[in-house]
Amino acid sequence: MPMGEDHKAALAKGKREAAKVTRYLKALEAGQPGGAARAKVLEQKIERLHEDIANEGNLLRRVKLIQKRFDTEDKLKDVDTSIDFEALEADFIGVVVSYSERNQISYHTWREVGVPARVLKASGIKRTRRM
């Protein structure tokens, strides 16, 4: 029996929503929210580490601070400032209620995977008992 147009439209909608949810969750997982803001915080941390290294009298603590600076510089290299996280977040907010209802995903599940409470609140997902 061939698929009806309504069924095809519902499948297409589900795929679009799943893609938006997936892109947002991948960005969250990669630690990319506000890539430019994250980069600035890391740059400030590196500056403070340079000062701490210069002022540290204990050789072993200085070695640990240098390693911390290298680790932070590596994190900075990995920050992707080209991601428009606000757009990904807006897309997620626009589809997460429908997606959650269709897939029976609760507020608590979204929170456990790292979705901020403010995002769920903006989307209209209520904090309720677990399903």
Side-chain angles (χ1 to χ4, degrees):
M1 182 161 113
M3 253 193 275
E5 291 303 314
D6 289 344
H7 191 188
K8 288 180 184 178
L11 286 174
K13 178 183 177 189
K15 283 184 179 182
R16 283 191 308 274
E17 288 180 354
K20 289 178 180 183
V21 169
T22 300
R23 283 192 298 269
Y24 177 72
L25 293 178
K26 282 184 177 181
L28 271 181
E29 187 176 70
Q32 295 304 321
R38 181 168 163 73
K40 185 174 181 176
V41 167
L42 291 173
E43 289 166 354
Q44 291 170 343
K45 185 174 182 178
I46 291 167
E47 286 178 32
R48 282 192 309 275
L49 285 166
H50 277 289
E51 292 171 14
D52 292 347
I53 291 165
N55 295 324
E56 183 56 61
N58 182 299
L59 186 57
L60 290 179
R61 279 190 240 148
R62 190 175 330 141
V63 167
K64 290 178 183 180
L65 288 170
I66 291 169
Q67 183 60 55
K68 195 176 209 176
R69 188 195 74 218
F70 283 137
D71 293 345
T72 306
E73 289 169 343
D74 287 343
K75 286 179 186 177
L76 180 59
K77 290 176 194 170
D78 292 338
V79 172
D80 186 352
T81 57
S82 68
I83 293 175
D84 185 353
F85 191 76
E86 290 177 9
L88 293 177
E89 190 171 86
D91 284 348
F92 178 82
I93 289 169
V95 301
V96 70
V97 170
S98 173
Y99 186 86
S100 296
E101 289 171 354
R102 192 173 52 261
N103 293 284
Q104 298 181 328
I105 299 173
S106 71
Y107 174 96
H108 299 287
T109 300
W110 290 123
R111 289 292 293 132
E112 187 153 328
V113 297
V115 177
R118 67 170 180 74
V119 171
L120 296 172
K121 183 177 182 179
S123 72
I125 291 185
K126 305 277 188 250
R127 183 178 180 172
T128 59
R129 284 189 225 163
R130 295 183 185 170
M131 296 175 131

